[in-house]
Amino acid sequence: MSEQKIDYSDVEARRSPASNRRMSPGRRLYYFIGLPVFLGVSRLLWWSYRKKYVIDADVINRYIRSGELCAPCYWHQDSFCCLEQTRAWLKRGFKAGFIISASVDGEVPARIARSWGATVVRGSAKASNALAMRDIHQAMKNGVSIVTAADGPLGPKYYFKPGVVLMARIGSAPMIPIACAADRAWYLKRWDDFMLPKPFARVVISVGEPQLMPRDRSVDELEQYRLSMEKAINALKQRSEALLTTDERDADE
């Protein structure tokens, strides 16, 4: 008796067998009702922020104009602001893709990303990692730039994952560091100290220079590029915070 072939194009087949959670009818209804509410609140928050600007945005603009591949990277803590900014770039023609867990918890972010017009790759860190890498490679061959929270999904915080460098190397995509800061924000009590700027907060987003690990470099050299990107994002984070401090001093004078 031959084994039944598994259809891995179905996200249900990519979910980890360790989890009993599945997309039940009740959960589908919950997401159907809750998703528009979540999107509406996110839009209101984003529009409320004061002095929201991007430093060195022309770095990304070059890739939007040329259509060339790149790999924007940021810390998981900054996901809200960095993803909202990516949404704005998507509206201007940026071809972006996201790697999102195949778990049930990934359903909402996957639907949000698709509603923005982004490519979504679903994959589990354990059960379907090889499938996800195959899909990522195919997406990059199709001209899709993969946007990554480089220390996610489970940390440790501020540690740039070697897999992100390897992914960028395989696709010959320059990695672009991005960071943000807000003068007033909520920080969730979880591994990444997730930052959600409060309404009418002042927000700064900074973009750094691209860094490319050429394909002819050996995997043994990966660490120097990993460390360089880690330092670059941290430096941008400090720069963004310093700009907010400068603005406060200017306002007091």
Side-chain angles (χ1 to χ4, degrees):
M1 182 175 177
S2 61
E3 294 184 1
Q4 184 178 3
K5 187 176 181 181
I6 300 175
D7 179 15
Y8 283 109
S9 64
D10 180 3
V11 70
E12 289 288 343
R14 297 192 179 201
R15 302 201 199 282
S16 171
S19 174
N20 294 323
R21 300 177 67 188
R22 288 294 182 265
M23 188 57 68
S24 64
R27 193 176 296 278
R28 291 181 188 277
L29 178 62
Y30 173 76
Y31 288 158
F32 178 78
I33 296 172
L35 185 57
V37 175
F38 176 82
L39 288 173
V41 172
S42 297
R43 289 291 85 75
L44 286 173
L45 271 176
W46 185 246
W47 290 332
S48 78
Y49 297 153
R50 296 177 295 123
K51 291 190 176 179
K52 180 176 74 250
Y53 53 93
V54 184
I55 307 301
D56 292 338
D58 195 55
V59 172
I60 289 288
N61 292 339
R62 295 199 301 265
Y63 289 92
I64 295 176
R65 290 192 295 265
S66 68
E68 296 177 2
L69 277 181
C70 65
C73 305
Y74 51 85
W75 294 142
H76 208 277
Q77 181 184 67
D78 295 339
S79 290
F80 181 80
C81 289
C82 290
L83 287 175
E84 285 291 341
Q85 185 58 57
T86 301
R87 182 182 67 86
W89 289 330
L90 277 160
K91 292 174 68 175
R92 296 175 47 213
F94 185 48
K95 292 182 67 176
F98 300 98
I99 309 164
I100 299 175
S101 168
S103 69
V104 170
D105 293 334
E107 281 301 309
V108 168
R111 294 184 188 193
I112 292 173
R114 290 193 183 103
S115 74
W116 293 349
T119 297
V120 173
V121 174
R122 301 297 300 273
S124 164
K126 295 181 180 179
S128 56
N129 186 49
L131 291 167
M133 286 303 296
R134 180 200 66 185
D135 293 347
I136 290 165
H137 190 214
Q138 185 59 51
M140 296 177 83
K141 286 175 65 177
N142 293 336
V144 176
S145 295
I146 303 298
V147 182
T148 313
D151 56 347
L154 298 174
K157 186 172 70 170
Y158 303 157
Y159 175 78
F160 199 96
K161 296 291 182 66
V164 178
V165 183
L166 187 59
M167 176 198 72
R169 173 181 175 270
I170 291 171
S172 298
M175 296 172 287
I176 299 179
I178 303 175
C180 71
D183 65 340
R184 295 181 299 110
W186 292 293
Y187 292 88
L188 304 188
K189 292 182 179 180
R190 37 182 264 180
W191 73 265
D192 59 351
D193 294 324
F194 187 89
M195 181 182 74
L196 182 63
K198 295 180 179 180
F200 308 105
R202 290 185 296 119
V203 175
V204 172
I205 299 174
S206 298
V207 181
E209 287 299 319
Q211 297 189 30
L212 174 66
M213 181 179 181
R215 296 189 69 171
D216 60 0
R217 299 294 177 89
S218 69
V219 176
D220 294 336
E221 298 177 83
L222 184 147
E223 176 62 15
Q224 70 181 77
Y225 291 93
R226 186 203 69 77
L227 188 58
S228 178
M229 281 296 295
E230 189 173 283
K231 290 179 178 178
I233 299 179
N234 285 334
L236 283 175
K237 185 81 171 174
Q238 293 174 358
R239 177 190 184 190
S240 300
E241 292 169 351
L243 284 168
L244 285 173
T245 303
T246 301
D247 285 347
E248 289 174 359
R249 286 202 302 263
D250 292 343
D252 292 338
E253 293 178 356

